[in-house]
């Protein structure tokens, strides 16, 4: 059963919807550059969903949906165009208007400080988070946000999917050809982000703003490929290295030994300075926010040989293998979408229990959804597949709550169709359809899908749905 004050919401991020990429003083970001590189294949950040100019209309749709909360992000380069210098009042004004509009409509803003779009000037200046200098600039930018919006924003999310962006440096704007060097730089920036996250939390506490702050964790959840002890152990190790090493450092204020051991063994260990351990301490978050989409299957690495016995006649997924550690497989019991993400509501129940048992911190789901090539027919989108997905997730969140998990919010990805982080507009997740294609902005009309009306009822009934 969901509590009466449960935060039913939906999610987006700045670069995926705002457009106006160079308007009103905004600086260039890593996600602008990344999308421009693929300009002949996908839609770019230039117009995106034009939310920058249509935010009032969008908030009215949120209200119509009955949203109690809206998970959004602020673009660092709109607030401080080069990332470190002068503050851009027009950027502050835009987010002030948006936040006011939300509050006026009784929608609680849940705001991410850094969701993939990193100011490119900081790459030029010192290679972004690969450099320690970035820590101070991120803390300063966060403080500007707290001071300007902290009177109305009570939920702050620090860094979106730190593990993903540190393993894919080009998301941060860092391009390196050598694979090993790329990994090394990735882990170094991971460490700097851990310190930045801790210092931002401490800064927030100093301001006594009477709100809550925490990280956003991408939480792929892993099942062992068989009951073979080596597979069971590997599934645990992979989950530790992809998820729990980060939540552990946030919670305990120290990098866990299993991470240090793994990085040293593979010549990937980051540099730490004398006082770093001190800096990481005493910055416990108020909650853990999760981006949760799918489950994976992992078995022990067997020199590239797939498991081949009756129990594990599993289809391999070579794209994910971690040499020397793990091999990945498809789950024959689950349905997969075109991009190989499965639908596993039971997996969500399992994941919530695991995260809750490990830390006993309140949990928020700030992303969860199904990507699909939706079709607009007679001004309608019949996305029954998405309704089925959401229905399963709501049912299993409710079960997890009954099992004692303190889950306080659910924000499906995404409120409206957005630019996918890699695949343009046609991989749609929204509850609201945006009438545009990758190469034609058309009229950008907002059209609620069938899932919008289903979710509207779900919110009205506080999750008590069939
Ligand atoms: C998460 C990101 C989101 C969003 C989502 C879907 O990792 O935080 O920004 O993009 O994944 O992924 P994609 O857009 O690649 O389908």
């Amino acid at each position: 059963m969901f509590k009466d004050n449960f935060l039913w919401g939906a999610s987006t991020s700045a670069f995926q919807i705002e457009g106006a990429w160079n308007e009103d003083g905004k600086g260039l970001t890593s996600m602008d550059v990344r999308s421009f590189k693929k300009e002949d294949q996908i839609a770019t950040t230039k117009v995106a969903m034009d939310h920058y100019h249509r935010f009032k209309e969008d908030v009215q749709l949120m209200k119509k949906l009955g949203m109690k909360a809206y998970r959004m992000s602020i673009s660092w380069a709109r607030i401080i165009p080069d990332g470190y210098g002068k503050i851009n009042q027009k950027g502050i004004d835009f987010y002030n208007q948006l936040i006011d509009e939300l509050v006026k409509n009784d929608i609680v803003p849940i705001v991410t400080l850094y969701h993939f779009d990193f100011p490119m000037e900081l790459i030029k200046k010192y290679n972004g988070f690969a450099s320690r200098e970035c820590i101070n600039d991120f803390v300063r930018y966060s403080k500007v946000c707290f001071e300007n919006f902290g009177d109305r924003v009570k939920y702050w999310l620090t860094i979106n999917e730190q593990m993903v962006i540190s393993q894919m440096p080009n998301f941060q704007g860092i391009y390196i050809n050598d694979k090993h060097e790329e990994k090394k730089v990735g882990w170094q920036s991971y460490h700097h982000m851990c310190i930045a996250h801790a210092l931002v939390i401490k800064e927030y506490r100093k301001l006594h703003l009477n709100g809550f702050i925490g990280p956003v964790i991408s939480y792929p959840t892993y099942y062992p490929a068989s009951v073979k002890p080596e597979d069971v152990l590997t599934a645990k190790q992979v989950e530790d290295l992809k998820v729990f090493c980060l939540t552990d450092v946030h919670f305990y204020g120290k990098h866990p030994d299993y991470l240090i051991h793994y990085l040293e063994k593979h010549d990937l260990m980051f540099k730490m300075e004398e006082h770093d351990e001190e800096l990481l301490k005493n910055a416990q978050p108020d909650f853990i926010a999760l981006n949760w989409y799918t489950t994976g299957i992992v078995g022990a690495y067997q020199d590239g040989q797939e498991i081949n016995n009756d129990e594990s006649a599993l289809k391999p997924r070579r794209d994910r293998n971690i040499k020397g550690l793990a091999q990945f497989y498809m789950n024959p019991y689950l349905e997969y979408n075109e991009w190989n993400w499965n639908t596993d509501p039971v997996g969500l129940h399992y994941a919530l229990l695991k995260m809750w048992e490990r830390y006993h911190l309140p949990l928020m789901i700030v992303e969860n959804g199904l990507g699909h090539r939706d079709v607009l027919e007679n001004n309608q989108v019949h996305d029954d597949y998405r309704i089925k997905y959401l229905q399963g997730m709501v049912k299993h969140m409710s079960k997890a709550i009954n099992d004692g998990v303190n889950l306080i919010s659910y924000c499906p990805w995404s409120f409206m169709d957005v630019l996918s982080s890699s695949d343009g507009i046609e991989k749609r997740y929204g509850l609201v359809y945006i009438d545009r294609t990758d190469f034609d902005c058309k009229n950008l009309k907002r059209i609620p899908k069938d899932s919008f009306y289903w979710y509207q009822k779900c919110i009205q009934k506080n999750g008590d749905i069939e």
Side-chain angles (χ1 to χ4, degrees), residues 13 15-16 71 115-116 160-161 164 291 293 341 367 413 419-423 427 429:
S13 89
F15 79 92
Q16 292 174 285
R71 187 271 180 131
H115 189 129
F116 294 176
N160 183 66
E161 299 195 344
V164 172
N291 289 351
Y293 288 89
W341 297 35
E367 282 186 36
W413 184 263
L419 291 182
S420 149
S421 61
S422 312
D423 301 298
K427 184 184 189 182
Y429 287 87

Side-chain angles (χ1 to χ4, degrees), residues 281-293:
K281 276 187 201 147
N282 303 320
Q284 232 199 57
D286 297 308
F287 55 78
I288 298 174
L290 303 173
N291 289 351
W292 195 94
Y293 288 89

Side-chain angles (χ1 to χ4, degrees), residues 86-291:
K86 259 179 82 180
I87 295 168
N88 177 28
Q89 189 54 44
K90 288 201 171 146
I92 306 256
D93 294 346
F94 168 68
Y95 291 110
N96 262 331
Q97 287 173 46
L98 171 57
I99 291 164
D100 283 346
E101 198 67 18
L102 291 167
V103 173
K104 197 168 90 193
N105 287 286
D106 295 321
I107 299 168
V108 173
I110 301 174
V111 178
T112 315
L113 290 163
Y114 167 31
H115 189 129
F116 294 176
D117 50 350
F118 185 83
M120 279 311 282
E121 282 299 317
L122 293 184
I123 296 291
K124 275 200 212 150
K125 192 171 178 229
Y126 49 57
N127 217 17
F129 266 111
S131 153
R132 278 189 87 84
E133 273 188 69
C134 195
I135 298 173
N136 284 344
D137 286 328
F138 183 61
V139 175
R140 171 174 176 256
Y141 152 68
S142 303
K143 200 169 164 218
V144 171
C145 291
F146 299 151
E147 285 169 349
N148 281 281
F149 316 121
D151 54 336
R152 286 149 295 153
V153 174
K154 297 298 169 199
Y155 291 91
W156 289 97
L157 311 176
T158 54
I159 301 176
N160 183 66
E161 299 195 344
Q162 180 180 325
M163 186 58 85
V164 172
I165 47 175
S166 51
Q167 302 310 299
M168 297 175 71
N170 65 47
F171 269 54
Q172 300 171 51
I174 303 175
Y175 291 84
I176 298 170
N177 284 332
D178 181 83
K179 279 279 158 225
H180 187 74
E181 190 51 29
E182 186 186 53
K183 278 191 190 161
K184 268 193 121 145
V185 169
W187 281 108
Q188 188 62 57
S189 42
Y190 169 91
H191 174 61
H192 293 151
M193 284 185 216
C194 288
I195 296 181
H197 164 92
L199 296 184
V200 164
I201 290 196
K202 288 180 196 176
E203 202 60 46
Y204 184 66
R205 306 268 185 245
K206 273 196 231 156
L207 295 171
H208 300 289
L209 283 166
N210 198 21
F212 309 95
I213 186 161
V216 189
I217 306 294
S218 159
Y219 184 9
T221 306
Y222 293 105
Y223 302 141
S226 77
V227 292
K228 209 165 124 198
E230 286 80 358
D231 289 341
V232 176
L233 180 65
T234 305
K236 179 189 162 26
Q237 287 172 326
V238 169
E239 205 165 80
D240 282 348
L241 291 172
K242 284 191 177 279
V243 183
F244 291 120
C245 60
L246 183 56
T247 42
D248 279 357
V249 69
H250 291 331
F251 188 81
Y252 298 111
K254 185 180 177 305
H255 290 295
D257 292 341
Y258 59 80
L259 176 68
I260 308 286
H261 175 74
Y262 175 83
L263 295 179
E264 283 178 350
K265 191 169 151 201
H266 294 88
D267 181 31
L268 295 169
M269 183 58 194
F270 41 75
K271 287 193 200 82
M272 285 182 73
E273 292 195 355
E274 207 184 323
H275 301 296
D276 283 2
E277 291 209 353
E278 211 46 50
L279 297 179
L280 290 172
K281 276 187 201 147
N282 303 320
Q284 232 199 57
D286 297 308
F287 55 78
I288 298 174
L290 303 173
N291 289 351

Side-chain angles (χ1 to χ4, degrees), residues 202-443:
K202 288 180 196 176
E203 202 60 46
Y204 184 66
R205 306 268 185 245
K206 273 196 231 156
L207 295 171
H208 300 289
L209 283 166
N210 198 21
F212 309 95
I213 186 161
V216 189
I217 306 294
S218 159
Y219 184 9
T221 306
Y222 293 105
Y223 302 141
S226 77
V227 292
K228 209 165 124 198
E230 286 80 358
D231 289 341
V232 176
L233 180 65
T234 305
K236 179 189 162 26
Q237 287 172 326
V238 169
E239 205 165 80
D240 282 348
L241 291 172
K242 284 191 177 279
V243 183
F244 291 120
C245 60
L246 183 56
T247 42
D248 279 357
V249 69
H250 291 331
F251 188 81
Y252 298 111
K254 185 180 177 305
H255 290 295
D257 292 341
Y258 59 80
L259 176 68
I260 308 286
H261 175 74
Y262 175 83
L263 295 179
E264 283 178 350
K265 191 169 151 201
H266 294 88
D267 181 31
L268 295 169
M269 183 58 194
F270 41 75
K271 287 193 200 82
M272 285 182 73
E273 292 195 355
E274 207 184 323
H275 301 296
D276 283 2
E277 291 209 353
E278 211 46 50
L279 297 179
L280 290 172
K281 276 187 201 147
N282 303 320
Q284 232 199 57
D286 297 308
F287 55 78
I288 298 174
L290 303 173
N291 289 351
W292 195 94
Y293 288 89
T294 63
T295 49
I297 295 201
V298 181
Y301 194 76
Q302 307 182 355
D303 291 331
Q305 305 286 308
E306 277 84 41
I307 295 175
N308 196 9
N309 57 37
D310 286 348
E311 186 189 11
S312 297
L314 301 171
K315 207 171 134 207
R317 269 196 88 142
R318 293 195 186 81
D319 55 329
R320 300 276 157 109
N321 289 354
I322 307 175
K323 209 169 172 210
L325 177 67
Q327 291 181 198
F328 290 72
Y329 301 86
M330 308 282 278
N331 192 325
Y333 299 102
L334 299 175
E335 277 177 29
Y336 284 77
N337 73 0
E338 197 183 320
W339 296 270
N340 273 342
W341 297 35
N342 62 37
T343 297
D344 185 5
V346 177
L348 175 60
H349 183 173
Y350 173 66
L352 288 171
L353 288 174
K354 268 183 139 177
M355 195 54 90
W356 169 250
E357 282 163 5
R358 193 154 177 144
Y359 307 107
H360 278 259
L361 278 180
L363 299 179
M364 301 172 102
I365 295 178
V366 294
E367 282 186 36
N368 170 249
L370 178 69
H372 202 278
R373 286 183 203 275
D374 297 334
V375 181
L376 181 67
E377 283 170 300
N378 304 323
N379 229 21
Q380 293 176 333
V381 178
H382 302 303
D383 55 344
D384 47 319
Y385 38 84
R386 185 167 292 111
I387 294 175
K388 197 172 144 210
Y389 178 99
L390 296 171
Q391 211 162 20
M393 298 299 166
V394 171
K395 191 168 134 201
H396 283 274
M397 286 187 313
S398 166
K399 286 180 190 246
I401 291 172
N402 292 344
D403 287 343
V405 173
N406 185 11
L407 180 67
I408 60 172
S409 83
Y410 180 59
C411 295
W413 184 263
S414 44
F415 166 65
M416 61 172 106
D417 290 340
V418 303
L419 291 182
S420 149
S421 61
S422 312
D423 301 298
I425 170 82
E426 294 306 344
K427 184 184 189 182
R428 295 174 187 266
Y429 287 87
L431 300 164
V432 176
Y433 186 88
I434 305 290
D435 195 7
R436 69 158 294 174
T437 65
D438 273 321
F439 302 109
D440 184 356
C441 289
K442 293 167 94 178
N443 52 22

